[in-house]
Structures are given as C-alpha cells and as structure tokens.
Amino acid sequence: MNAPGTITRAAPATSVATPVLPPLPPTRGGMDLAEAFRGALSALAANYLRSILTALGIFIGVAAVIATVAVGEGARRQVTAQIQSLGANLLIIWGGSATMGGVRLGAGGRSNLSYDDAVAIAREVPEVEVAVGSIRQTFQMVAGNQNWSAVVIAADPDFFTAHEWVPDSGRLFGTEEAGAARKVVILGATVAENLFGEEDPVGREIRIRSTPFEVIGVMARKGQNPMGQDQDDAVFIPYWTARRSVMGASRANARQVGTISVKVHEGEDMRDAEENIRALMRQRHRVAANEPDSVSVRNLSDIQATRDAAARTLSLLLASVAAVSLLVGGIGVMNIMLVSVTERTREIGLRLAIGARRRDVLAQFLLEALVLALLGGAVGVAAGITLSHLAADLAGWPVLVTLDSVLLAVGVSALTGLFFGFWPARRAARLDPIAALRHD
C-alpha cells in the first residue's frame, strides 16, 4: 500500500498530470525533513534561472551586510589600537589660549606649563597615577656617515609609564640618570632603521646638535597615532639633559614644558580627574573667577568616541542600503513563491486529496522559501568576504570579517525567507483540495 501523500505512487489512480515536483512524503510522525529538503532543491532546480534571479536580492543584501560589518569593525579596531598605543587612561595638558594684539590664539598658544605643574598634579590630584612634563623639538642627528631628522622628546622616566612605551632591545633610562642629566638616548624604531640599518644600535653613539649620546635602547614599534603621525620616528632623552645640552634654557623658561602627560589610575573617573586638574591649574596660575582656564586638557578617549561615532554613522548608512536590498530580495521571494503556488495548485490539491496534512504543505513551501533565501545568503557571504578583502587591498581600508557577522548575515537571510515565504505557504496550505484539482 502506498504511503499517504506520495505523488508518484498515487499518480496511476488519477488522471491529473503531476508537474516537475517531487513527492511530499509525510510519515506517521510528520514530514521527512531530508526528503522535503531534497524536494525543495528539486523544485528550485526545475526553474533554476528564476530561482537565481530571485535569490539575487538576498545575495546583494547579505554581501552588503558582510562588507558593512567588516569595514566598520576594522575601522573601530584600528582606532582603538591607535588610541591604546598612546597609552590607556591618558590625559594631555596643553597651555591655554593667549591674546596678542587683539588676536586670540588657539589652545596651546600660551606656554605657561612648567615642570613643577606636573609634579603638583602627581602629588595633589588623587586620581592621577603619574604626571610628567615633556618638551619636543626636531633636530638632525648623525651616526657615522648616516644622518636623519627626527623629533627629540625630552622627559622624565614616568613618560614611558604614561604612554606605555617599552623597549624592544636595550633598556630605558632611570630616575638617577635623568636627574644627573646623563647623555643617553633611546631610539624609536624608524630612527634606528635609518641610522643603523640592520645593525644593533645599542651601545653605539649618535650626535644630536653635535652633542654625543650613548644609545641605551630601541623602543618597540607603535606605528601611527590617530593623527597619522609615525610615533616611531622619535628619540627620547632625559629632560634635564635636553635643557643643559641640546635645547637650552633661559632664565625665563628654565623649567618650562610643552605638554604634561597624565595617566589616571585604572577604574578612576576620567572626568573627575580632568576637573580636579583644571581646578589645580587655575589655583597655581592664579586665574581669576571670571577668566577662562589657563590650560587645555584633552581626553584621548573623546577622540575614540568621535571616531566610533563616525564609524557607526557609516555603518548605519551601509546597513540601510543592505536592508533595502534584503527587503527587495524578500519581496522577490514572496512573488516567486506565489507564482509557484499558482502553478502547482493541482499538485497541492492532489497531495491534500491523498492524505497530506495542511501543515505539511505549509512546511514544504516554507522550506522552499528558506532554501532559496539561504542559497542566496551563502553566495552573498562568500561575495561579502571577497569584497572586504578587495577593499583592504585596493583602498587600504582596515577590515575585519568576524564569525558573528557571518552568522548575522545567514540568520537575516533565513528570517527573510521565512517571513516573506509564510504568506504564499499559508495560501497553499489553505487551498480546497476539490477546487485545486479542478484548477486549470
């Protein structure tokens, strides 16, 4: 005896000609999913060109989702890495603005920071772990018959703690060497390459403004900062060495610094630290209540927040394009499934007449819509990953394809197929078997 709902075995008992579709094999416990899946593939393969065109919208939408998430995540990771390369929980203090001849200069226009300001911040602001002043200036430096122009940063050893600099070879200079104004220097990776090539510079000598310095270390490479500057194109010397031997000091600016780097204790509120530093600087610089702050404090986490906001805006823009494409693709799936129901009305009536349950018919058409959407989604995932790598190679964009984005894209394509395939499936399941068999 034939299993109920099997078309091939029921066909000889009726004059209705079955189209290209395979049988729907219900079992006593419900549908055979494997057989139903094969049937869905056969149904889609019977009209493969129509199926490909229908899945095109899903394909474009999923590819756009993958590429969007990859570009957004890559940009976010790059900004985060650049910010972290400057140092975590870092505040940079610049001089305040000044007015000259009625012209107001911007932040940093007034050099009013001193070495003692940094000492006071480290001592009196409880949220601060270290605070260190630094000065920087560009000089030509010579090693043997090689020369190179780079930034000389002069600071105390706490500068390395604040900016999380570590040596790749050699060592950092200590507090005793800094206090004694020893002529020691640590090279950035870019400077070391240009002055010494493949040779080890540790223990060698370089000259900065004709002053000999012993190279005691080479910094680990950090790359570009968020402003696009090469952080490795610099050398580091003790503050008092710079004042006495390289940059000079007049009686007016003997203890002047250009910026103060402040590292806040982990877990402390950066805003509270910033407010306390502003209040302390107003007190030390004798700023009246009706006057603006004497310093400018920059929280580097604000830069990260700004970059994150820009990346989110770009991602939302691209995601809206992907959403529109998925909507169009979903409408295409619904349209083609409605056409399929109309073309297979007599087949559906025959299945219902020989015992197929309505929920089996509903599940069969839903499965076809799901398979159609997933096929489009799978090709879209491959295309999205390819596009992401092309963008990285051709445009130099940082991209990062994550498993989460792939799962998201597959899930969205599956939901699109189920959502837009439900109505045609429900329409097929609610057909009257007699009316369906009489359908031309």
Side-chain angles (χ1 to χ4, degrees):
M1 181 177 177
N2 291 340
T6 304
I7 296 174
T8 53
R9 297 180 181 177
T14 175
S15 60
V16 178
T18 56
V20 293
L21 294 174
L24 177 66
T27 64
R28 183 172 297 177
M31 288 184 63
D32 183 339
L33 287 178
E35 186 64 27
F37 181 74
R38 285 193 292 271
L41 288 178
S42 299
L44 296 175
N47 295 286
Y48 67 90
L49 184 58
R50 188 173 69 182
S51 300
I52 291 174
L53 293 176
T54 303
L56 193 59
I58 304 291
F59 155 74
I60 294 174
V62 169
V65 168
I66 293 289
T68 297
V69 175
V71 171
E73 185 66 15
R76 193 185 69 79
R77 294 285 182 92
Q78 184 189 45
V79 170
T80 301
Q82 289 177 339
I83 295 296
Q84 289 179 343
S85 73
L86 294 176
N89 302 327
L90 184 65
L91 298 173
I92 302 294
I93 303 174
W94 300 76
S97 63
T99 301
M100 298 181 63
V103 178
R104 298 186 64 192
L105 304 179
R110 182 169 50 177
S111 300
N112 56 351
L113 292 175
S114 72
Y115 186 92
D116 299 319
D117 286 334
V119 174
I121 291 172
R123 183 179 63 239
E124 299 182 27
V125 179
E127 295 87 357
V128 171
E129 181 179 346
V130 295
V132 56
S134 63
I135 48 179
R136 58 180 63 203
Q137 198 168 341
T138 301
F139 290 107
Q140 200 76 18
M141 46 201 74
V142 178
N145 59 355
Q146 301 293 323
N147 68 90
W148 184 255
S149 177
V151 175
V152 175
I153 300 176
D156 282 348
D158 282 343
F159 184 86
F160 307 125
T161 304
H163 289 267
E164 300 180 358
W165 279 100
V166 293
D168 183 55
S169 63
R171 61 179 179 85
L172 305 176
F173 54 76
T175 305
E176 185 178 345
E177 290 173 310
R182 293 280 304 278
K183 294 174 183 174
V184 292
V185 62
I186 305 166
L187 306 183
T190 301
V191 178
E193 287 176 1
N194 284 281
L195 289 181
F196 295 97
E198 299 296 328
E199 299 178 13
D200 183 7
V202 177
R204 306 281 294 276
E205 181 181 285
I206 69 169
R207 290 182 175 274
I208 304 175
R209 293 193 72 181
S210 303
T211 302
F213 280 80
E214 178 191 357
V215 179
I216 62 172
V218 178
M219 288 294 189
R221 188 176 293 279
K222 278 202 169 191
Q224 293 183 350
N225 64 17
M227 283 69 75
Q229 298 168 333
D230 182 6
Q231 299 180 82
D232 304 310
D233 196 9
V235 301
F236 305 86
I237 63 176
Y239 176 81
W240 293 113
T241 304
R243 279 298 182 211
R244 295 172 186 175
S245 305
V246 181
M247 300 180 187
S250 65
R251 180 172 297 179
N253 65 355
R255 303 176 73 84
Q256 186 183 73
V257 296
T259 60
I260 297 177
S261 303
V262 178
K263 185 177 182 63
V264 177
H265 282 296
E266 186 71 31
E268 295 286 353
D269 192 310
M270 298 287 287
R271 298 295 177 191
D272 289 345
E274 186 176 336
E275 290 303 316
N276 289 335
I277 290 170
R278 288 183 187 278
L280 178 61
M281 289 298 98
R282 291 181 67 88
Q283 179 186 3
R284 287 183 58 83
H285 296 167
R286 295 182 175 84
V287 179
N290 59 347
E291 294 180 350
D293 287 339
S294 59
V295 299
S296 174
V297 182
R298 296 181 182 176
N299 185 347
L300 296 185
S301 62
D302 291 341
I303 300 175
Q304 183 172 5
T306 302
R307 295 288 185 93
D308 283 347
R312 280 197 299 272
T313 302
L314 177 62
S315 295
L316 286 175
L317 177 64
L318 296 175
S320 62
V321 175
V324 170
S325 180
L326 285 172
L327 177 64
V328 173
I331 293 173
V333 170
M334 178 185 287
N335 179 55
I336 212 65
M337 293 307 298
L338 284 172
V339 171
S340 181
V341 169
T342 302
E343 291 177 347
R344 296 156 60 186
T345 299
R346 296 178 67 184
E347 173 212 340
I348 297 169
L350 177 59
R351 290 179 172 178
L352 292 172
I354 62 177
R357 293 167 296 188
R358 295 190 183 276
R359 66 182 183 184
D360 292 335
V361 175
L362 175 73
Q364 177 69 24
F365 278 87
L366 266 182
L367 188 59
E368 288 184 20
L370 178 63
V371 169
L372 184 61
L374 284 178
L375 288 176
V379 180
V381 167
I385 293 174
T386 304
L387 282 175
S388 301
H389 288 292
L390 281 176
D393 293 338
L394 299 179
W397 293 354
V399 297
L400 180 63
V401 180
T402 63
L403 178 62
D404 290 346
S405 65
V406 173
L407 294 178
L408 172 67
V410 172
V412 168
S413 63
L415 287 176
T416 303
L418 291 175
F419 181 79
F420 288 96
F422 180 75
W423 186 42
R426 182 172 178 269
R427 184 175 177 181
R430 291 169 67 90
L431 284 176
D432 179 69
I434 299 176
L437 288 170
R438 292 175 177 171
H439 182 76
D440 291 332

